Amino acid sequence: MVVLAREALHASVIDPVSASMNFLNEIAMRYPDAISLAAGRPFEAFHSAADIDKHIQVYLTHLRERGVSAAVSRDLLTQYGRTNGHIGDLIARTLDVDENIQVPAAAVMVTTGCQEAMVIALRGLCSGPDDVVLAAEPCYVGLTGAARILGVEVVGVPESDDGLRPETVRAVAAATRARGKNPKALYLVPNFANPSGISLPVPVRRALLAAAADEDLLILEDDPYGLFGLDDEPRPTLKSLDRDQRVIYLGSFAKSYFPGARVGFLVADQPVVDRAGRHTMLAEELSTIKSMLTVNTSALSQAVVGGMLIDAGFSLRAANQAKIAFYRQNLRTLLAALQRHFAGTAVRWNSPSGGFFVVCTVPVDASEELLEVSAQEYGVLWTPMRFFYVGGGGTHAIRLSCSAVEPPQIEDGVRRLAALLSR
Amino acid sequence: MVVLAREALHASVIDPVSASMNFLNEIAMRYPDAISLAAGRPFEAFHSAADIDKHIQVYLTHLRERGVSAAVSRDLLTQYGRTNGHIGDLIARTLDVDENIQVPAAAVMVTTGCQEAMVIALRGLCSGPDDVVLAAEPCYVGLTGAARILGVEVVGVPESDDGLRPETVRAVAAATRARGKNPKALYLVPNFANPSGISLPVPVRRALLAAAADEDLLILEDDPYGLFGLDDEPRPTLKSLDRDQRVIYLGSFAKSYFPGARVGFLVADQPVVDRAGRHTMLAEELSTIKSMLTVNTSALSQAVVGGMLIDAGFSLRAANQAKIAFYRQNLRTLLAALQRHFAGTAVRWNSPSGGFFVVCTVPVDASEELLEVSAQEYGVLWTPMRFFYVGGGGTHAIRLSCSAVEPPQIEDGVRRLAALLSR
């Protein structure tokens, strides 16, 4: 009888981060009645199973109106398809309308959620044994997980209270090279980062592009929250400011549509030239990797997302007004509750200008043990910030999320948190 | 301006195999009117876009009848879900009906096509730097591609004319260990293999299980073609013969339903025990890897497949009678045409008892150049067998596929091939 030893089985995969996230999931399952200020998933009442067929029909009508035959349409939805997907043109058009990003459809690769886009980009860029990726730290666990799968080292670039600083990127890149590693790319979330909530001012975005050019880094720009600012102030993506194709843009429809479709994408319009002088585009080269991971992204999920984009008139911003208003109210509610309960105490918090997350610095060790007590005795869940550091840190900080709850729960959750921290 | 050098970009990914498959795709695109005896995709006229909504409705009805609320059903289709998927119970039931495989639902992980299942299994089993996978050779390119993404070495186990021999597995495992590598698993396709077409007799299946036990190998059993035998003779999967949980079974709905759903699965019921003596199951442990690759498999694709399984009364064999008859006729047509055109010549071919593929040995170098001539001057495509060897081989052999064409095209394609080979 085969019996496998867990530690030997995948010692190199089960890292502290994933063990911690598993712990968080277990806690959430054991205390289902606790208010979750931990879950970063979108609020589900915006989703509808009825949208699935509606948007497939919109997509099929769109194809028919463009002269695509019924047989070809059927094959687009049901057969193996083009590795990089069949809705790249619709995504490119949406990026133009919403984000002022102009790229050809061939620069877009449709992926099985943004997670696969990260795996593919890292695998393509970090192919040598000494190639590493820099990442703003605290860092989204999806990026560290993707790197872990591939055996790619993530080097943290510490964020300051106002976000990633170009001079820190330069210093970390230099220190990384000094120890014999090749930093190939810099990962960051410029808008309302997960977990820090921080957004970068436009001059800093430009300065980061300049620093990346000086340090010969590509930028992996991840932008799942860009729609959800507290105000309508424009926050140009780095990709829209990018004049020398330094940015690979990573996109997700999990928040702007729904996560169950598992459709994300990457935009990689970098020119690639081979020894014979032939030119291709990075997205096309990366298709080899995509073909070895998942072959295609679900063709029917793509059709549903494609129909949604057509239905939205190619503006996610316009189509998401109700969600934008909901998340604004939630974040304002969270910030007001923190002010009411913690003003004048030793608890500090930041004030993100949008997104799903706020970080609180607390005067106690925000450990897994404390989280267990919080869940069991106080009925509130949060995320220890230490989960988001590759090299240690965040011991006295927690991430509060306000995306999957409603205002009364947010109020109640912060009240319970205050009770925990005042004991 | 960023310009990337193709060779430096992903030297470790673009290997001869993927370059060759790209060449094949390019040829197919340049000569769209050539008859393709190269394409191994399923025949598309069996697919219907209308099935999508129909099967989602069947799945939603099934949930409602089991007392699942409308909100929970909505979340199953639209929200982030359980990493290993929400139709494991339906797949387990189908495996019991069709394949006499009895496993708990928790042993099933739903994946983004079988390709992701291979990546996950390899990543879980081959975690050490010296861990390698053995594979029956000639080998399906999806397996070598998955291994390539992860930097895992594939060691070929040469098939004889009647398939994989247990004594060869033992010899290759020993030779591999002798050079300091750890063979962790053996990959094989027991039914109508891609590319060789060969099926293993039942005594050989049992002997392979015994050899794997002696050599301490897990078996990765890939079974996409098992339904499509020329006769109704039972061909028990290794998993159904497996008495000590040595087999990880890899499944696909690409041929039994449609590829565009991108739903496959793995069955891993192996017990896993950690230092503290806690027991879990391998499929549960592998979920960490799945979460870092794609988070979930498209929830709506899962719903569509789930509805199809319910609609099929949990028997893919019963639901696929029309497809089974079609592919039988195609394979018989191909074998008869080969007999008619090549009997008494230097061309030899094997006689698979089912599936999509036949291998021909030809008296010329079956090179990419010859394929180009074949496409341009004779209007027929085939696959050079050299694409399926990791360490060289197959220079004078071609794979003929009969899945994506109809009998008249098969007749005509073989006639054209005979013209090419007789020039």
Side-chain angles (χ1 to χ4, degrees), chain A residues 149-387:
Chain A
I149 287 286
L150 300 170
V152 171
E153 183 191 350
V154 178
V155 179
V157 183
E159 278 186 349
S160 66
D161 287 346
D162 52 4
L164 196 63
R165 289 183 176 164
E167 62 269 27
T168 318
V169 172
R170 291 177 200 269
V172 171
T176 302
R177 275 192 295 270
R179 62 183 177 88
K181 300 290 182 177
N182 306 320
K184 304 291 281 190
L186 168 68
Y187 171 86
L188 58 86
V189 183
N191 294 317
F192 329 122
N194 181 3
S196 74
I198 299 171
S199 273
L200 298 172
V202 174
V204 173
R205 296 178 191 224
R206 292 192 194 278
L208 282 168
L209 283 166
D214 293 346
E215 302 294 331
D216 197 21
L217 300 169
L218 289 172
I219 290 178
L220 298 174
E221 177 180 33
D222 187 8
D223 189 27
Y225 309 107
L227 292 181
F228 305 111
L230 279 183
D231 52 49
D232 289 327
E233 189 189 317
R235 292 178 177 83
T237 62
L238 274 72
K239 186 68 191 162
S240 70
L241 302 172
D242 178 18
R243 291 292 160 265
D244 62 353
Q245 281 142 298
R246 187 153 300 282
V247 178
I248 296 174
Y249 183 84
L250 306 172
S252 165
F253 295 107
K255 283 77 187 177
S256 55
Y257 191 34
F258 62 81
R262 303 310 303 135
V263 176
F265 62 94
L266 63 79
V267 176
D269 58 347
Q270 286 72 22
V272 176
V273 60
D274 72 5
R275 287 198 193 96
R278 281 184 299 256
H279 278 69
T280 55
M281 210 180 280
L282 182 56
E284 296 164 321
E285 292 300 320
L286 294 176
S287 73
T288 302
I289 299 172
K290 165 81 177 158
S291 73
M292 293 172 178
L293 272 181
T294 58
V295 185
N296 300 135
T297 298
S298 165
L300 60 99
S301 283
Q302 289 188 69
V304 173
V305 169
M308 177 276 290
L309 293 175
I310 295 161
D311 199 40
F314 304 101
S315 174
L316 292 168
R317 202 172 295 279
N320 276 277
Q321 286 302 313
K323 281 186 203 175
I324 290 168
F326 173 83
Y327 292 125
R328 280 180 181 175
Q329 187 188 9
N330 279 8
L331 183 55
R332 288 195 186 112
T333 301
L334 176 57
L335 291 169
L338 289 169
Q339 176 69 26
R340 200 158 52 248
H341 286 284
F342 293 116
T345 74
V347 175
R348 299 274 173 277
W349 63 97
N350 64 357
S351 289
S353 51
F356 293 4
F357 308 110
V358 172
V359 174
C360 294
T361 309
V362 294
V364 292
D365 184 2
S367 63
E368 295 187 0
E369 292 69 34
L370 187 68
L371 176 57
E372 177 104 37
V373 171
S374 180
Q376 184 170 11
E377 298 180 24
Y378 297 86
V380 62
L381 301 174
W382 35 267
T383 308
M385 278 296 289
R386 63 194 345 135
F387 291 2

Side-chain angles (χ1 to χ4, degrees), chain A residues 27-94:
Chain A
I27 287 265
M29 295 221 293
R30 288 217 313 278
Y31 302 100
D33 295 331
I35 292 173
S36 182
L37 300 179
R41 67 175 186 272
F43 188 65
E44 38 261 324
F46 288 111
H47 310 153
S48 162
D51 281 347
I52 295 169
D53 189 53
K54 176 180 133 189
H55 287 148
I56 287 180
Q57 296 309 323
V58 170
Y59 185 64
L60 289 172
T61 301
H62 165 86
L63 293 175
R64 197 163 51 240
E65 288 171 357
R66 289 159 51 117
V68 177
S69 73
V72 170
S73 289
R74 174 202 66 204
D75 294 352
L76 276 177
L77 264 70
T78 60
Q79 192 50 280
Y80 292 107
R82 190 174 161 270
T83 305
N84 282 8
H86 57 83
I87 59 167
D89 57 334
L90 307 179
I91 292 172
R93 193 161 161 189
T94 305

